């Protein structure tokens, strides 16, 4: 197989993904400005910043990662249909990424605003959870449609791009695996506190703001272990299998994360009388165990993925 080059099959999808990240961050900045503008001059502004910023930052990072991977996959599929037409056109890459990012942002903003305006029942913890999940899925759907339309708008004739190496293809598969896993973790961990608000109380509901950052951290950790095994495949594997592998691992990841959380709380309780050094030691131990456990889970998923594809059919 020819060696990878700057003008391989990933050149156009990667450029489109970078434009999508730029558009996603721009939309996030506008959202943050609008949100903070509502409380500007309010005496409770410091409390608002403390409560809102973690969620806003986390959603921006997770949204950018999800947008980049989604646009990359859609652009790759579009290019595969006509590899000699979508060469390295900058206009096509910009249209692909920006239409996905801004189209999804506008659609989700309008639908959520209309939902909250005309359905008062949604202005509750359970309503927030339901709308949050629905808006996340709508965000993905509109972004995929925008990316597909954008990739079809501007076609630049050129030479057929060279195939990417299996190694780069494997890294893309690991990125898809980690992003799908992080998205699933965020959907579940962000919605559960709202759905269980009456049982767990408002304190648990407030922790949902950390869901995107936690999902990104765990997804990246598991994806690193997955990539270690995934890159050993000598041939390119379908990325759809990586997405399905992430969904299969999601329940185990949630259970493992819950177990590690319980362990952390138990250690903090046992060392509560030891002061700050003891708590820092307990936190370090829990983080090390979590890193090893999630990395091992990813490696196991990668091993099963490559072995399953290697079986004779």
């Amino acid at each position: 197989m020819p060696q990878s080059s700057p003008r391989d099959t990933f050149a156009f999808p990667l450029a489109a993904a970078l434009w999508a990240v730029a558009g996603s961050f721009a939309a996030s900045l506008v959202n943050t400005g609008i949100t903070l503008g509502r409380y500007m001059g309010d005496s409770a502004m410091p409390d608002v910043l403390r409560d809102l910023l973690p969620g806003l930052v986390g959603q921006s990072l997770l949204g950018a990662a999800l947008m980049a991977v989604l646009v990359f996959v859609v652009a790759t599929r579009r290019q595969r249909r006509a590899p000699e037409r979508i060469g390295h056109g900058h206009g096509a890459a910009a249209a692909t990424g920006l239409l996905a990012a801004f189209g999804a942002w506008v659609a989700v903003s309008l639908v959520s605003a209309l939902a909250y305006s005309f359905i008062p029942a949604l202005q509750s913890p359970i309503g927030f959870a339901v709308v949050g999940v629905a808006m996340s899925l709508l965000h993905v759907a509109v972004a995929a449609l925008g990316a597909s339309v954008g990739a079809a708008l501007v076609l630049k004739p050129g030479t057929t791009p060279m195939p990417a190496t299996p190694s780069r293809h494997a890294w893309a598969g690991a990125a898809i695996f980690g992003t799908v896993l992080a998205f699933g973790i965020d959907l579940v961990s962000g919605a559960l506190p709202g759905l269980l608000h009456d049982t767990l109380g408002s304190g648990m509901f407030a922790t949902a703001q950390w869901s995107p950052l936690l999902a990104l951290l765990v997804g990246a950790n598991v994806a690193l272990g997955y990539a270690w095994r995934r890159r050993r495949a000598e041939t390119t594997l379908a990325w759809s299998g990586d997405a399905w592998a992430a969904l299969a691992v999601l329940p185990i990841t949630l259970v493992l994360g819950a177990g590690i959380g319980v362990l952390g709380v138990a250690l903090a309780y046992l060392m509560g009388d030891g002061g700050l050094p003891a708590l820092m030691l307990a936190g370090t131990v829990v983080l090390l165990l979590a890193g090893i456990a999630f990395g091992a889970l990813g490696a196991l998923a990668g091993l099963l993925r490559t072995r399953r594809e290697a079986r004779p059919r």
Side-chain angles (χ1 to χ4, degrees), residues 79-103:
Q79 181 177 245
R80 193 180 300 132
R81 297 177 186 177
E84 75 288 350
R85 292 283 296 166
I86 306 180
H88 319 289
H90 298 293
T96 303
L98 294 180
L99 267 179
F102 290 125

Side-chain angles (χ1 to χ4, degrees), residues 6-15 75 78-79 82-90 92-93 151 154-162:
R7 291 188 174 184
D8 62 10
T9 51
F10 283 178
F12 167 67
L14 280 175
R78 272 286 183 179
Q79 181 177 245
E84 75 288 350
R85 292 283 296 166
I86 306 180
H88 319 289
H90 298 293
V154 185
L155 303 181
K156 181 181 179 180
T159 58
T160 301
M162 299 172 63

Side-chain angles (χ1 to χ4, degrees), residues 10 166-176 223-224 227-228 230-231 239:
F10 283 178
S167 177
R168 294 189 75 192
H169 203 277
W171 275 115
I176 292 169
L224 284 177
W228 178 62
R230 176 71 164 81
R231 291 185 67 246
W239 290 331

Side-chain angles (χ1 to χ4, degrees), residues 25-291:
F25 278 133
S28 297
L29 286 176
V30 174
N31 259 348
T32 303
I34 294 173
T35 302
L36 298 182
R38 297 174 183 172
Y39 301 95
M40 196 63 66
D42 196 319
S43 59
M45 188 66 174
D47 295 331
V48 171
L49 290 175
R50 185 194 63 219
D51 294 338
L52 291 182
L53 277 183
L56 291 174
V57 172
Q59 288 291 355
S60 296
L61 294 175
L62 180 59
L66 180 64
M67 189 68 62
V69 168
L70 185 65
V71 168
F72 178 84
V73 172
V74 173
T76 302
R77 291 176 62 87
R78 272 286 183 179
Q79 181 177 245
R80 193 180 300 132
R81 297 177 186 177
E84 75 288 350
R85 292 283 296 166
I86 306 180
H88 319 289
H90 298 293
T96 303
L98 294 180
L99 267 179
F102 290 125
W105 171 61
V106 170
V108 170
S109 299
L110 288 177
V111 172
S112 60
L114 291 174
Y116 287 128
S117 298
F118 293 100
I119 310 177
L122 294 177
Q123 298 182 20
S124 64
I126 294 179
F128 289 141
V130 172
V131 172
V133 172
M135 292 303 101
S136 295
L137 297 178
L138 178 64
H139 190 275
V140 171
V142 176
L145 177 62
S148 183
V149 171
L153 282 179
V154 185
L155 303 181
K156 181 181 179 180
T159 58
T160 301
M162 299 172 63
T165 61
S167 177
R168 294 189 75 192
H169 203 277
W171 275 115
I176 292 169
F177 171 89
T179 304
V180 171
L181 181 60
F183 181 60
I185 293 172
D186 179 59
L187 281 182
V188 176
S189 60
L192 277 181
L195 296 175
L196 302 178
H197 176 264
D198 294 335
T199 304
L200 301 175
S202 58
M204 187 65 182
F205 178 66
T207 61
Q209 63 182 325
W210 296 98
S211 171
L213 291 172
L214 180 65
L216 275 174
L217 181 62
V218 173
N221 200 339
V222 180
L224 284 177
Y226 183 81
W228 178 62
R229 298 298 312 186
R230 176 71 164 81
R231 291 185 67 246
R232 297 194 175 193
E234 297 181 356
T235 59
T236 57
L237 304 178
W239 290 331
S240 58
D242 297 312
W244 284 112
L247 294 178
V249 168
L250 176 60
I252 305 173
T253 306
L254 293 171
V255 172
L256 183 60
I260 292 172
V262 171
L263 176 62
V265 172
L267 284 177
Y269 176 78
L270 293 174
M271 296 185 175
D273 297 332
L276 184 60
L279 289 176
M280 291 180 63
L281 177 62
T284 303
V285 170
V286 171
L287 286 177
L288 287 175
L289 290 176

